[in-house]
Amino acid sequence: MTSDSHRPGLHPLSHLKAGPTTSSSKSTARPASSTAQSSPQTFSRPRLSKYNSSRDDDLDTINDKATTTLIRRVLCPQANSSSSLEELLPPLTSSNDVDHQLYALIAIIVKEFVYSWYTKITSDQIFVNELLQVIAHCTRALEQRLRQTDVSQLVLDEIPALVEAHITSYRLAKQQSTLSGLPTSTRTIYHALNPHPGLSPIPDPAHPQSIAEQHENEASYRQLLVYGTLAVLLPTEDLENSCLRTLLGDILADLILGKEVSGRICERWFLWETIAKLVEVSQQKPRHDDKKNAQGQPEDRLRKFGLLSTEEEDRDLSYISQSRISVWIWRVLQYVYVTFLALRFIATGLFRVASRPQSTTSRIKKAYPPSATASPVNQRPVLDFRLFSMVSELLAVPQRMPWLGGLLALFQHLVLAGPGRLGDADSVLDRFLYETIQDYVLTPALLPRLLLASRTALFPVNVPAPQGAEPGRAVQTPLSMHPPTSSAAEGGNTNITNKGNANTSSAENTGPSAPEIAAIRRHCAVSILALIPRPVTRRLFGAAHNSSNNNNRHTISIDNNGQLNGHGYNNGYSGHNNTTNDSQKRQESGQTVGGSDKEETILIAAIENELLDLLEDEYCNKHLVYSIIETVLVRLVPELGERSVGELLEDRGVLFSSV
């Protein structure tokens, strides 16, 4: 293999590994953090931040070793310990990093859902090895289809369009549910706006028969979705094996889609906790110095002898009093410098794209080659992606600031359809934006991190904890997985019936309690508030002390008793039903807010009531999650949108009635 093939991520198919996978490749060989020399602490300048960074790298390395140990113990327990994983396991993709995370996820699934009954029959590994070969065949086929799909348009256009539809429908359903004298259920209106066959009829606690019927329809829908996918991806001999087909179908349909996706991911607390984690990850700064030291490069002499100031000392120096004029001048210079860097980056990128032949930079040919299996969708310019309209709808810009929404829409129209059509599809500007997204947003290292985050979120108990690691540092148990301190979670969890356990009771769910849900909601709101600059947050939510009721803005004030008084929009989606006593929320979340933090309390309450309230209902969240899964599967397996599941199975020689 050449040096280019050692880069992490998905490589060209011509560089697909012929042998097995994982950690021996240069792309996945993480530098041993023990070689990183931590700078000695001197009496004058302690290196606290440097020490913590090195310790985090050590814990990351230990965690990778623990993950490898988990894979060996579950997937190849009888193999020689001196053999590497690449000699024992078949390759799943062309990326070692992706394979490592996928095998860790597969190991947890096999341990939880296969070994729980298979080890009672026999101790051999023949069945598990055969299952791994089938999974490897499917993942390689999916990777080949993924290369022929415009991932940027899927992630930034089609999925945001579904999220935008969910936001609009949920707010409209809450508004319409309170208009008439006889209030209508929010779920009923939402389901009428976004009907889904697998979620009918609407479950009503007053009619247990409707709940059982909806569970049955949802289970049948998941089975059809999984068997249709397997009918395209599985080899013919494996598809004809009824035992293997049934087992694989039940694991994917009932245990993965049913128990984890429908039973956990659609829960409001899980989505809030996921948002908080994503915000915290986005705020983490890369430790370039530690990476250089881990690769064996000598440390800077100034840092080595503690002659450079630490972040704490720099923060202390910032309190030195300066005149307003000097502060204003430095701020202007900073803005000018940032603007210069941005303009230089844009100009350099535009010249680079324009100087190359269009045949080599055309995103249409790259996304949809002539031999593509996936059916092409309508090519949309990057500036016309639905991501921008989704963010606008999420923040309610047309209602809060109609002038801003109008200006942005006018600018977008002039660029896309104005003179010269500068932002049209496959133009110089469009190709520059597309390449920027590929290079800086959808990077090859993104998928391994997403797989790791998904494994940690879905199976937090099974995440390997490194020995000797500091608790809560390497693997931190989410707050939602702590044992409940009171009764069942607020709102109740809806269980999905499956073949393995058709009468699962709600008492078996170990979801968070009501105080823990309130703490998760508050933590998510605080994380979002820390991400947005405070001046923008003030203008966006229009929060002010003792402000009067205004029809065009959402205002929240605090009275003398410490209670939040909310006045929402007249259109009814401001979340006024969720405005509660702030002192009670502080007690539930364990946070204290003093009198000087009233503004922060107001902004946090606004984020909770206006943004996080969109994920309040589990039944409505299922519509969104299932629609995203359907869209991704249809883009990767377009046969699902062209033919029925019975026709796909009959083409492979399997009768639909036998499934």
Side-chain angles (χ1 to χ4, degrees):
M1 296 177 64
T2 62
S3 59
D4 295 338
S5 63
H6 298 312
R7 294 172 54 192
L10 297 179
H11 310 301
L13 292 177
S14 59
H15 294 164
L16 184 63
K17 298 176 297 184
T21 160
T22 62
S23 59
S24 66
S25 174
K26 294 181 181 180
S27 62
T28 58
R30 298 178 62 92
S33 57
S34 59
T35 61
Q37 300 177 356
S38 60
S39 56
Q41 297 184 5
T42 61
F43 66 94
S44 58
R45 299 183 184 276
R47 307 297 299 161
L48 297 178
S49 61
K50 191 72 174 179
Y51 173 76
N52 292 334
S53 300
S54 300
R55 183 176 57 183
D56 291 341
D57 286 346
D58 293 339
L59 294 179
D60 292 341
T61 304
I62 296 175
N63 190 29
D64 285 346
K65 293 180 179 178
T67 302
T68 304
T69 304
L70 171 67
I71 298 174
R72 284 181 174 275
R73 185 175 65 251
V74 176
L75 300 183
C76 44
Q78 301 175 356
N80 188 3
S81 59
S82 61
S83 301
S84 60
L85 289 178
E86 65 176 2
E87 300 174 356
L88 302 174
L89 301 174
L92 300 178
T93 64
S94 59
S95 171
N96 290 323
D97 293 335
V98 175
D99 285 3
H100 193 73
Q101 299 299 332
L102 280 178
Y103 270 124
L105 186 61
I106 293 173
I108 294 176
I109 294 175
V110 170
K111 186 185 71 171
E112 293 292 331
F113 306 132
V114 177
Y115 279 162
S116 59
W117 58 268
Y118 184 74
T119 53
K120 300 177 181 179
I121 302 176
T122 180
S123 59
D124 61 62
Q125 288 288 114
I126 299 177
F127 179 76
V128 176
N129 295 337
E130 185 67 20
L131 188 64
L132 291 178
Q133 293 292 339
V134 173
I135 295 175
H137 179 86
C138 296
T139 54
R140 287 195 295 265
L142 284 176
E143 181 193 4
Q144 189 174 10
R145 291 169 176 264
L146 184 64
R147 295 181 183 280
Q148 300 166 351
T149 304
D150 191 353
V151 180
S152 300
Q153 185 166 342
L154 175 64
V155 175
L156 302 179
D157 180 61
E158 299 180 44
I159 294 179
L162 301 175
V163 178
E164 181 183 359
H166 168 78
I167 295 173
T168 305
S169 301
Y170 187 80
R171 286 173 172 171
L172 183 60
K174 293 199 66 174
Q175 173 191 356
Q176 297 293 331
S177 63
T178 57
L179 287 181
S180 60
L182 298 176
T184 308
S185 173
T186 303
R187 293 182 172 184
T188 303
I189 301 176
Y190 184 92
H191 185 71
L193 296 174
N194 292 314
H196 194 283
L199 299 175
S200 298
I202 303 172
D204 187 2
H207 301 83
Q209 184 178 0
S210 64
I211 299 178
E213 186 177 355
Q214 190 271 321
H215 288 172
E216 183 179 356
N217 292 337
E218 186 177 353
S220 301
Y221 162 76
R222 294 195 306 266
Q223 292 284 345
L224 290 175
L225 200 63
V226 168
Y227 279 113
T229 306
L230 295 179
V232 178
L233 299 179
L234 279 182
T236 304
E237 59 274 11
D238 294 327
L239 188 63
E240 293 176 351
N241 189 340
S242 60
C243 179
L244 183 61
R245 183 184 66 245
T246 302
L247 177 63
L248 194 58
D250 288 346
I251 290 177
L252 294 177
D254 297 330
L255 300 178
I256 303 302
L257 289 181
K259 183 178 180 181
E260 298 300 332
V261 175
S262 178
R264 184 187 298 271
I265 292 181
C266 296
E267 292 285 350
R268 50 180 179 171
W269 52 265
F270 184 89
L271 295 175
W272 291 337
E273 192 172 46
T274 302
I275 294 173
K277 288 182 179 179
L278 293 176
V279 172
E280 292 174 358
V281 170
S282 64
Q283 292 178 329
Q284 293 179 357
K285 297 181 180 179
R287 299 184 295 270
H288 301 287
D289 296 337
D290 294 337
K291 294 180 180 179
K292 292 180 180 180
N293 294 335
Q295 295 174 0
Q297 297 183 5
E299 191 177 8
D300 191 352
R301 290 176 178 266
L302 295 178
R303 292 187 180 276
K304 181 178 181 180
F305 294 101
L307 298 179
L308 291 180
S309 59
T310 61
E311 295 180 1
E312 291 80 4
E313 294 174 347
D314 293 339
R315 197 176 298 111
D316 295 337
L317 292 176
S318 63
Y319 290 100
I320 298 177
S321 59
Q322 298 180 359
S323 63
R324 293 185 177 181
I325 298 179
S326 62
V327 172
W328 182 82
I329 292 176
W330 282 112
R331 185 173 300 176
V332 170
L333 291 177
Q334 181 182 6
Y335 290 154
V336 171
Y337 179 70
V338 173
T339 305
F340 168 74
L341 292 180
L343 293 178
R344 188 182 67 172
F345 174 78
I346 295 174
T348 304
L350 291 175
F351 279 115
R352 183 183 67 252
V353 174
S355 60
R356 287 183 291 181
Q358 186 174 358
S359 58
T360 61
T361 60
S362 176
R363 50 175 293 213
I364 297 180
K365 294 183 179 180
K366 285 185 178 181
Y368 311 111
S371 61
T373 304
S375 58
V377 295
N378 295 330
Q379 190 71 22
R380 296 174 65 93
V382 174
L383 291 178
D384 198 25
F385 280 175
R386 298 295 294 272
L387 176 67
F388 305 107
S389 59
M390 183 206 72
V391 175
S392 177
E393 185 66 28
L394 176 64
L395 301 178
V397 174
Q399 289 79 19
R400 290 193 178 97
M401 303 177 181
W403 58 270
L404 180 59
L407 287 178
L408 295 177
L410 178 62
F411 175 76
Q412 183 184 33
H413 176 75
L414 291 177
V415 175
L416 295 176
R421 304 175 68 92
L422 300 177
D424 198 6
D426 212 30
S427 62
V428 174
L429 179 60
D430 183 67
R431 282 178 282 147
F432 164 70
L433 295 176
Y434 187 82
E435 290 186 1
T436 303
I437 293 174
Q438 295 289 331
D439 296 337
Y440 298 98
V441 180
L442 302 178
T443 59
L446 179 62
L447 184 56
R449 292 200 299 265
L450 291 178
L451 292 174
L452 176 60
S454 302
R455 174 165 58 96
T456 306
L458 293 176
F459 306 100
V461 180
N462 290 277
V463 175
Q467 297 180 357
E470 182 181 353
R473 295 288 298 177
V475 179
Q476 184 176 2
T477 303
L479 177 62
S480 58
M481 296 306 299
H482 291 173
T485 56
S486 61
S487 58
E490 182 183 11
N493 293 332
T494 303
N495 291 323
I496 307 300
T497 58
N498 50 56
K499 294 181 181 179
N501 189 7
N503 296 322
T504 305
S505 62
S506 60
E508 296 178 357
N509 288 336
T510 58
S513 60
E516 291 174 341
I517 292 178
I520 294 172
R521 182 184 182 125
R522 175 59 58 92
H523 174 66
C524 182
V526 171
S527 301
I528 296 176
L529 181 61
L531 183 64
I532 307 176
R534 186 56 56 89
V536 177
T537 311
R538 294 193 190 102
R539 303 298 188 278
L540 187 62
F541 293 102
H545 296 294
N546 300 324
S547 56
S548 59
N549 188 8
N550 194 329
N551 294 332
N552 295 326
R553 60 190 304 183
H554 179 83
T555 58
I556 305 177
S557 59
I558 300 179
D559 57 14
N560 296 329
N561 296 327
Q563 296 183 353
L564 292 176
N565 298 324
H567 304 280
Y569 295 107
N570 289 336
N571 55 13
Y573 66 80
S574 60
H576 57 278
N577 294 331
N578 295 323
T579 303
T580 57
N581 191 335
D582 184 63
S583 60
Q584 179 182 358
K585 283 188 176 182
R586 291 197 301 268
Q587 294 175 1
E588 293 173 351
S589 59
Q591 298 178 357
T592 59
V593 180
S596 59
D597 297 332
K598 288 185 178 180
E599 182 185 67
E600 183 176 0
T601 305
I602 294 173
L603 295 175
I604 291 175
I607 293 176
E608 289 182 354
N609 297 330
E610 297 185 22
L611 300 184
L612 302 185
D613 181 66
L614 298 172
L615 303 174
E616 182 71 25
D617 195 286
E618 175 197 357
Y619 179 75
C620 298
N621 295 337
K622 285 185 179 181
H623 287 75
L624 174 61
V625 173
Y626 279 145
S627 62
I628 293 176
I629 294 176
E630 292 174 0
T631 302
V632 174
L633 285 180
V634 170
R635 289 295 168 263
L636 297 179
V637 189
E639 293 86 349
L640 292 176
E642 300 171 356
R643 311 188 66 183
S644 64
V645 178
E647 293 175 349
L648 293 175
L649 290 173
E650 292 175 0
D651 291 344
R652 304 293 300 277
V654 179
L655 296 178
F656 181 71
S657 58
S658 63
V659 175

